[in-house]
Every structure is written in structure tokens, then in C-alpha cells.
């Protein structure tokens, strides 16, 4: 009996993932607010009623996509921010570039839906970004430069870094989707992103002056 339940659970998870993959592919050319349930089920090859065994609505599916796109990044971000010195910024830019190259559809989805028309998805993105900011704040607080800083100021600084990482991801995505993608364009984005994050760090050094 347990073996049968295991097979059923695996099949259910496989179907759920098929919905997520199909939606992500369809969202390359449209926003979530315009995505139809029947459009998704047609892409998966199942009846519309099968959708409701996994998601309450397309908004619920969108929230699941947010978790898929951002949820797995928390350990990597924490590890990157924990890197000491100037290497922290270099490693962060490299991480963003590699992630965009490996998961462009996820990055595109977050960039579009962060200010999109589906409120639960906007909220889910805000909550994930708030988690990133708290995690970044925790690591920044360990730096010697954090002495004398309030939690409020550290969190503000963390949000600046998180916002800059999102901007950088969008810029890397633009180079990837250009009519003629080039390594030179990618390197320009990396160079600018590195300088911008260093500028944030420079401001940090003189914040309490």
C-alpha cells in the first residue's frame, strides 16, 4: 500500500511540476493576469478540472512560481553575503550572472510580476525579497563596519543591496535577450554592477560620520 501511495504522490508532483513548467513557458510572452487556466491545461494535456487538484487559481499557481524562482536562492545569497571583504561583491555579481543564464524564464517572471496585476503574486515577491533583506542584514551585522549601526539602518542597507541585485539581474537578462547577445555586453553589465555595489559600500563606510 505504501508503495502505491508513493507512486501516486510522485505522479501528483510530476503533474504539478508540469503545470509550473507550462505556465512559465507561456509567461515568456504575456503577463500572469492575462494567462488563462484552459491555456495552461491545454499545454499540459489534461482536462481543466485537473488543475484544481493542484492549485486554487492561476494566482495560486503564480505564488508557487515565485517560491520556485526565489525560494531556493536563500542559501546561496546567505553564503555570498557571508563572504568577507571585496570578494563579497565580486561573488554576488557572478552569482547573479550565472543564475540569469541558467534560469532566464524565472528572472523574467519575477521582473514582470513584481509590479504586475496579480496582488497575491506581488505580495509573495515582496515577502521573498523581505526575507532576503533580513538575511543580508544578519550577515552585514557581523562586519566590523556595522559597529554602532541600528537594526533599522542595517535593514535599509540590506534593501539597497537586494534592490541592486534585482536591477543587475534585469540588466543581465537584457543582454541575454538582445538580438545579438555578446560576452562584451555581459562584461559591461558585470563591471557597472560591481561599481554600483561598491558605491553602496562606500556610502556605508561614511554613514555614521
Amino acid at each position: 500500500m505504501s508503495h502505491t501511495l508513493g507512486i501516486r504522490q510522485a505522479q501528483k508532483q510530476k503533474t504539478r511540476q508540469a503545470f509550473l513548467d507550462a505556465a512559465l513557458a507561456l509567461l515568456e510572452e504575456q503577463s500572469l493576469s492575462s494567462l488563462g487556466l484552459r491555456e495552461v491545461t491545454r499545454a499540459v494535456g489534461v482536462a481543466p478540472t485537473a488543475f484544481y487538484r493542484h492549485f486554487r487559481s492561476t494566482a495560486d499557481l503564480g505564488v508557487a512560481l515565485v517560491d520556485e524562482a526565489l525560494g531556493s536562492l536563500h542559501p546561496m545569497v546567505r553564503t555570498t553575503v557571508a563572504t568577507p571583504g571585496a570578494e563579497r561583491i565580486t561573488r554576488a555579481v557572478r552569482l547573479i550572472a550565472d543564475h540569469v543564464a541558467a534560469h532566464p524564464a524565472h528572472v523574467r517572471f519575477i521582473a514582470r510580476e513584481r509590479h504586475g496585476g496579480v496582488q497575491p503574486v506581488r505580495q509573495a515577491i515582496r515577502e521573498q525579497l523581505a526575507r532576503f533583506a533580513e538575511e543580508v542584514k544578519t550577515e552585514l551585522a557581523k562586519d566590523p563596519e556595522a559597529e554602532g549601526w541600528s537594526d533599522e539602518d542595517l535593514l535599509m542597507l540590506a534593501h539597497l543591496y537586494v534592490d541592486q541585485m534585482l536591477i543587475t539581474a534585469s540588466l543581465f537578462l537584457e543582454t541575454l535577450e538582445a538580438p545579438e547577445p555578446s560576452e562584451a555586453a555581459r562584461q559591461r553589465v558585470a563591471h557597472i554592477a560591481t561599481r554600483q555595489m561598491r558605491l553602496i559600500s562606500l556610502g556605508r563606510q561614511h554613514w555614521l560620520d
Side-chain angles (χ1 to χ4, degrees):
M1 177 64 72
S2 60
H3 178 66
T4 302
L5 288 174
I7 293 175
R8 287 178 181 172
Q9 186 61 33
Q11 182 57 48
K12 183 178 180 181
Q13 182 59 37
K14 183 178 178 181
T15 303
R16 185 180 190 276
Q17 188 61 49
F19 279 123
L20 292 171
D21 293 343
L24 195 61
L26 291 166
L27 289 169
E28 289 192 20
E29 303 297 333
Q30 61 183 308
S31 65
L32 183 64
S33 60
S34 65
L35 183 67
L37 183 152
R38 290 183 179 275
E39 195 177 359
V40 179
T41 55
R42 191 182 306 118
V44 177
V46 298
T49 53
F51 179 89
Y52 293 106
R53 300 191 193 111
H54 303 273
F55 305 101
R56 296 185 299 275
S57 62
T58 53
D60 190 36
L61 182 148
V63 170
L65 280 174
V66 171
D67 185 61
E68 182 177 75
L70 296 177
S72 64
L73 290 177
H74 291 279
M76 286 187 290
V77 170
R78 285 195 299 269
T79 301
T80 300
V81 180
T83 305
E87 178 61 21
R88 172 186 288 164
I89 292 174
T90 303
R91 187 170 179 177
V93 173
R94 190 184 310 124
L95 167 67
I96 298 166
D98 291 346
H99 183 74
V100 172
H103 305 284
H106 280 136
V107 175
R108 186 184 306 108
F109 169 73
I110 296 298
R112 179 181 290 152
E113 299 302 329
R114 185 184 182 190
H115 304 292
V118 183
Q119 193 278 333
V121 173
R122 293 199 311 271
Q123 180 63 29
I125 294 173
R126 280 198 296 269
E127 289 173 358
Q128 286 283 355
L129 297 181
R131 276 187 60 195
F132 283 125
E134 286 288 348
E135 291 161 355
V136 170
K137 184 197 82 169
T138 297
E139 294 302 327
L140 293 177
K142 299 175 184 178
D143 293 346
E145 297 91 338
E147 185 177 354
W149 280 61
S150 67
D151 280 351
E152 181 182 3
D153 284 353
L154 278 172
L155 186 59
M156 179 176 63
L157 177 65
H159 275 292
L160 286 175
Y161 277 118
V162 171
D163 287 344
Q164 187 58 49
M165 290 172 78
L166 286 172
I167 292 169
T168 300
S170 295
L171 291 174
F172 275 124
L173 184 63
E174 287 180 13
T175 67
L176 197 65
E177 296 181 333
E180 296 182 9
S182 70
E183 179 60 23
R186 186 173 178 272
Q187 290 299 324
R188 279 196 299 274
V189 170
H191 177 69
I192 292 170
T194 300
R195 287 171 61 85
Q196 288 172 332
M197 288 193 191
R198 285 177 178 165
L199 186 59
I200 294 172
S201 297
L202 183 62
R204 176 192 186 185
Q205 293 172 22
H206 299 283
W207 178 247
L208 297 179
D209 290 354

